Amino acid sequence: MIIKFDFGDNYIQYISCSSKVGRKIHKTQNEFFDWIFDDEKNKKYWAYENGEKDCPNYDAYAIVDWLNHVKFKKGIAKAKVVENLKLKPKKTFYY
């Protein structure tokens, strides 16, 4: 399943994932936000200003990383970022 992520300011990315993951993506959006804003759990996707943590800095790669290594780490259904879109997205999410 192809999912479109619209981050605003004409910044759009797509991911490919199994239908099982795609069906649950809307339900897990708040879980992603809880993870990305928790600086104890998410150490990789923070922007720094003057040497201090400022705010999370994420895109589809962070969402895929979270899906594959946090949310569905025990399953075999892995997500990946799609660089060359050939199929129409089934869902659109606004972040």
Side-chain angles (χ1 to χ4, degrees), residues 11 39 68:
Y11 186 57
D39 64 352
N68 291 340

Side-chain angles (χ1 to χ4, degrees), residues 62-78:
I63 295 167
V64 165
D65 186 31
W66 176 76
L67 285 170
N68 291 340
H69 299 105
V70 177
K71 181 63 182 166
F72 297 105
K73 66 182 173 186
K74 292 184 181 179
I76 58 172
K78 299 294 181 183

Side-chain angles (χ1 to χ4, degrees), residues 8-52:
D9 294 330
N10 292 320
Y11 186 57
I12 296 172
Q13 290 181 302
Y14 302 89
I15 70 165
S16 172
C17 60
S18 71
S19 295
K20 177 183 175 183
V21 172
R23 284 191 303 269
K24 294 180 179 184
I25 197 80
H26 182 68
K27 185 177 175 183
T28 61
Q29 188 175 27
N30 286 335
E31 292 176 53
F32 171 76
F33 285 138
D34 289 343
W35 175 80
I36 199 77
F37 283 95
D38 185 342
D39 64 352
E40 293 298 316
K41 293 178 183 173
N42 162 34
K43 299 184 183 294
K44 187 175 177 180
Y45 298 104
W46 278 87
Y48 289 83
E49 187 172 311
N50 299 324
E52 300 283 325

Side-chain angles (χ1 to χ4, degrees), residues 3-7 11-15 58-61 81-83:
I3 301 174
K4 175 182 175 181
F5 289 90
D6 186 336
F7 295 98
Y11 186 57
I12 296 172
Q13 290 181 302
Y14 302 89
I15 70 165
Y58 62 92
D59 60 6
Y61 289 96
V81 175
V82 176
E83 298 291 340

